[in-house]
């Protein structure tokens, strides 16, 4: 009983020396930045942040030390990417709390400038380009060249079947100051039955 009581007191003292933070948040997310916040449980004024691609191992991410702002604007990020981040308190004199996290956020897509060209080169088969969206996974890049262009191309396949509207959407474009827009693409339709719209 005495051993347990003494161990609890010592452990409690260690935990209270530099309390960890809680309640990690990510707000004001753009295509290359996010405002990271947390709730301190002590009166420290410095923190460390470690971040990286979702699922990264703590200690293998990018460290931002001596952060004096809470919330902190993390910039230089990659668009359409999911990140994890951890935060720990720096209580001074080398006294650091344990890491708290991870919390996750996904950066937005950048508004694209014109002219824009997409030939799907470098896009993995069975996926779509970054910042494109689809309502069904029936849309994907394939290594074929049926539409009259060169491989690869994007394809809508019938399986798995569906009865609602299916959309493939490009990124958002900046059209400010443009008076004429031209959209050009090659298209091939291969069907096995009618009717369809």
């Amino acid at each position: 009983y005495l051993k347990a009581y003494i161990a609890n007191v010592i452990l409690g003292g260690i935990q209270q020396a530099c309390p960890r933070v809680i309640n990690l948040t990510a707000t004001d997310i753009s295509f290359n930045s996010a405002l990271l916040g947390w709730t301190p449980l002590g009166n420290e004024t410095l923190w460390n942040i470690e971040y990286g691609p979702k699922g990264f191992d703590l200690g293998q991410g990018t460290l931002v030390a001596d952060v004096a702002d809470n919330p902190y604007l993390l910039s230089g990020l990659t668009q359409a990417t999911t990140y994890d981040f951890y935060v720990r308190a720096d209580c001074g004199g080398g006294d650091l709390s344990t890491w708290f996290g991870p919390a996750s956020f996904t950066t937005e897509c950048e508004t694209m400038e014109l002219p824009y060209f997409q030939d799907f080169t470098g896009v993995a088969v069975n996926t779509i380009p970054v910042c494109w969206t689809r309502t069904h996974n029936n849309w994907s890049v394939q290594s074929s060249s049926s539409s009259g262009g060169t491989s690869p191309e994007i394809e809508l396949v019938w399986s798995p079947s569906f009865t609602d509207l299916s959309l493939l959407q490009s990124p958002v474009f900046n059209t400010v100051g443009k008076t004429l827009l031209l959209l050009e693409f090659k298209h091939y339709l291969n069907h096995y039955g009618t009717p369809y719209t």
Side-chain angles (χ1 to χ4, degrees), residues 150-167:
T150 57
S151 176
E153 62 188 2
I154 203 148
E155 184 178 281
L156 171 67
V157 296
W158 65 272
S159 179
S161 62
F162 60 90
T163 56
D164 54 339
L165 182 66
S166 180
L167 299 175

Side-chain angles (χ1 to χ4, degrees), residues 19-26 36-44 47 69-72 85 87-89 97-98 100:
R20 70 178 186 172
V21 304
I22 58 172
N23 299 331
L24 302 184
T25 61
L36 307 183
W38 54 90
T39 302
L41 293 179
N43 57 5
E44 75 278 3
W47 300 271
D69 298 324
N70 178 18
Y72 174 78
F85 73 98
V87 178
R88 72 178 173 189
S97 75
T98 57
F100 185 74

Side-chain angles (χ1 to χ4, degrees), residues 4 36 46 53 58 111 144 155 176 180 183:
L36 307 183
L46 291 176
L58 190 59
T111 299
S144 57
E155 184 178 281
V176 173
L180 179 65
L183 172 65

Side-chain angles (χ1 to χ4, degrees), residues 7 24 43 49 54 61 69 86-87 139 142 165 173-174 185:
L24 302 184
N43 57 5
I49 299 171
K54 185 169 179 59
D69 298 324
Y86 298 79
V87 178
W139 290 101
Q142 299 299 321
L165 182 66
F173 297 102
N174 178 9
F185 59 93

Side-chain angles (χ1 to χ4, degrees), residues 22 35 69 113 136 181:
I22 58 172
L35 192 62
D69 298 324
E113 296 298 327
H136 295 79
L181 299 175

Side-chain angles (χ1 to χ4, degrees), residues 4-18:
Y5 177 77
I6 292 173
N8 285 340
V9 169
I10 292 172
L11 181 59
I14 291 171
Q15 288 176 341
Q16 294 303 313
C18 189

